[in-house]
Amino acid sequence: MDGRDLLAQVQAAIGAHGAWKLKLSTAVSTGRSDDEPASVCRDDLCRFGAWLHGPDIAPSIRQGKPYQVVRRLHAEFHQCAGEVLDRVKRGDQAGASALLAGDYTDRSATLIRALTKWKSELQAVSEPV
């Protein structure tokens, strides 16, 4: 995988994971969701997670700090999103709303910052001097 492909994956992940807040907000406000908490909490089922866990990333990238940080934060993000949905499914809208406004928002912002930083680093490496 070349730098442009890596950059494209990271950029797509920023948008996709940003969209989760709307999905979860809708679930909290309506009290329902088609997504299952057990699936959402798995960080290897979304497109970005499948790529992160898949064979297309070079070992040198996997050993780097940006990859390792993003992979950990991505897993934490999905775990928290799954917890929000679990509360929705159990009818605990107040708990789901509090988790969404607190821990989920913090984890989401941290993941997006890490992805954005990784993207900037990839762009700096791929730009001609």
Side-chain angles (χ1 to χ4, degrees):
M1 171 171 285
D2 70 20
R4 288 181 310 235
D5 292 336
L6 188 58
L7 189 58
Q9 288 289 344
V10 171
Q11 180 61 44
I14 291 169
H17 289 86
W20 266 100
K21 184 151 191 172
L22 177 60
K23 253 183 136 166
L24 293 174
S25 294
T26 300
V28 169
S29 67
T30 63
R32 63 184 193 282
S33 173
D34 292 334
D35 295 303
E36 288 301 320
S39 296
V40 171
C41 73
R42 290 197 43 197
D43 71 318
D44 62 338
L45 295 181
C46 71
R47 175 182 267 178
F48 183 68
W51 174 76
L52 269 180
H53 289 274
D56 293 338
I57 301 174
S60 60
I61 299 292
R62 288 182 190 281
Q63 293 168 0
K65 187 173 182 176
Y67 172 86
Q68 292 177 11
V69 168
V70 165
R71 185 167 170 178
R72 177 182 54 82
L73 294 173
H74 183 249
E76 292 172 0
F77 167 90
H78 274 276
Q79 186 64 41
C80 193
E83 289 175 24
V84 171
L85 282 181
D86 183 59
R87 290 181 186 196
V88 167
K89 297 276 184 166
R90 289 187 287 120
D92 180 11
Q93 265 44 37
S97 182
L99 188 58
L100 180 66
D103 199 29
Y104 171 83
T105 296
D106 293 343
R107 289 180 189 278
S108 178
T110 302
L111 174 61
I112 298 299
R113 276 193 308 272
L115 286 165
T116 302
K117 182 177 182 202
W118 195 12
K119 177 185 166 196
S120 295
E121 291 170 3
L122 291 168
Q123 285 173 323
V125 170
S126 65
E127 289 177 357
V129 178

